[in-house]
Amino acid sequence: MQLNCDLGESFGSWTMGLDSQVMPYIDQANIACGFHAGDPDVMQRTLQLAKQHNVTIGAHPAYPDLNGFGRRSMQCSHNEIINLLHYQIAALDGMAQCQGLNLSYVKPHGALYNDMMSKPAVWQAVVQAIASYHKPLKLMLLADNNRHTYQQQAAELKVALLFEAFADRRYTDEGKLTPRSQSGAVLHDAAVLAQVSELLNDGSVTTASGQRLALQADTLCVHGDNPAAVAQVAQIRQLLQAVR
């Protein structure tokens, strides 16, 4: 299983995350493309870090919501979603090529990610945006109990999927992420390591109600927002290496 992390989410003089500290531990960097965070200088520095540590790069596009950090849903038409995705993906893709790097996948951010997983019209727009991009890219989405449906629909458009699980989020019985507004939605410390161990050893997670839910994931989402989070990513990397 790979480790992925949302990076490049600083903007101007405002800094978000400890990108240089977490990059050595991950396999995939989801790099913000300017609509929820990131700017040309931040994108450039993040790409350089990824190149230095031989980390695969992916675009992390969002709704155009800089003030809300991309966490607010927006009413966009089918074509608007396709266009805003192409715009952001192409920006990072072009900058990556200038450094001799190859963009390989797309992971939507925040509200766009949530809408993609809950609203069929948004899912269709996102997957069609990836299918109509000028080169093949994989699409990263949440591993849940609708895996085969997503695979079938994406295969019709010749889009390959990457399914991700979350190290620090509690799951519902339906395989969705418990909303952050609810108590216990975010896991900490030993609970994170326990969930990762269960995923690696048993291919399952324990939901909020105590049920065991089978999950097939290709990649695990981690965070590097603070020193404690980075230390935990290092522990997760050790768990992965032990399994390998």
Side-chain angles (χ1 to χ4, degrees):
M1 187 181 295
Q2 304 283 290
L3 291 185
N4 80 81
C5 187
D6 302 342
L7 299 173
E9 293 186 317
S10 300
F11 184 81
S13 60
W14 180 74
T15 301
M16 166 67 83
L18 301 175
D19 292 6
S20 62
Q21 295 183 36
V22 76
M23 191 74 81
Y25 298 111
I26 65 172
D27 305 291
Q28 299 163 313
N30 320 316
I31 302 177
C33 305
F35 272 29
H36 77 281
D39 60 35
D41 290 337
V42 172
M43 292 164 71
Q44 176 78 356
R45 290 197 299 269
T46 310
L47 286 165
Q48 287 176 338
L49 275 173
K51 184 174 184 178
Q52 177 184 345
H53 294 284
N54 197 31
V55 171
T56 301
I57 56 172
H60 196 41
Y63 286 126
D65 179 27
L66 206 54
N67 288 343
F69 199 65
R71 289 178 174 162
R72 300 179 293 191
S73 184
M74 300 180 70
Q75 298 299 314
C76 296
S77 70
H78 181 89
N79 287 337
E80 284 173 334
I81 291 174
I82 291 175
N83 293 338
L84 67 86
L85 283 170
H86 282 176
Y87 184 96
Q88 294 175 80
I89 295 167
L92 186 67
D93 189 14
M95 293 189 73
Q97 290 185 53
C98 290
Q99 295 199 44
L101 297 172
N102 182 51
L103 186 70
S104 65
Y105 68 93
V106 176
K107 175 187 172 180
H109 165 82
L112 181 57
Y113 185 98
N114 293 336
D115 287 350
M116 173 183 71
M117 299 305 303
S118 62
K119 300 177 181 179
V122 177
W123 157 255
Q124 288 295 332
V126 170
V127 74
Q128 286 185 27
I130 306 306
S132 58
Y133 195 66
H134 69 85
K135 71 177 187 181
L137 293 172
K138 295 180 180 180
L139 174 61
M140 189 179 292
L141 70 162
L142 182 67
D144 63 15
N145 51 13
N146 291 320
R147 177 188 180 101
H148 296 299
T149 300
Y150 288 121
Q151 284 180 317
Q152 182 178 13
Q153 293 174 351
E156 292 174 359
L157 294 173
K158 299 181 180 180
V159 173
L161 301 180
L162 290 169
F163 289 92
E164 72 167 338
F166 282 74
D168 62 354
R169 295 294 300 277
R170 180 67 72 196
Y171 282 81
T172 69
D173 292 344
E174 295 73 35
K176 304 298 184 184
L177 301 180
T178 300
R180 289 180 180 270
S181 58
Q182 296 183 19
S183 176
V186 179
L187 304 179
H188 302 281
D189 304 324
V192 173
L193 298 180
Q195 178 152 292
V196 172
S197 294
E198 184 179 346
L199 272 168
L200 294 176
N201 295 314
D202 304 323
S204 66
V205 295
T206 300
T207 69
S209 70
Q211 296 187 35
R212 298 194 75 179
L213 175 73
L215 280 186
Q216 292 179 275
D218 306 300
T219 182
L220 183 67
C221 182
V222 296
H223 297 95
D225 298 338
N226 55 66
V230 173
Q232 192 160 73
V233 173
Q235 291 179 298
I236 292 172
R237 170 55 68 191
Q238 291 180 341
L239 289 177
L240 264 66
Q241 290 173 335
V243 171
R244 290 173 182 171

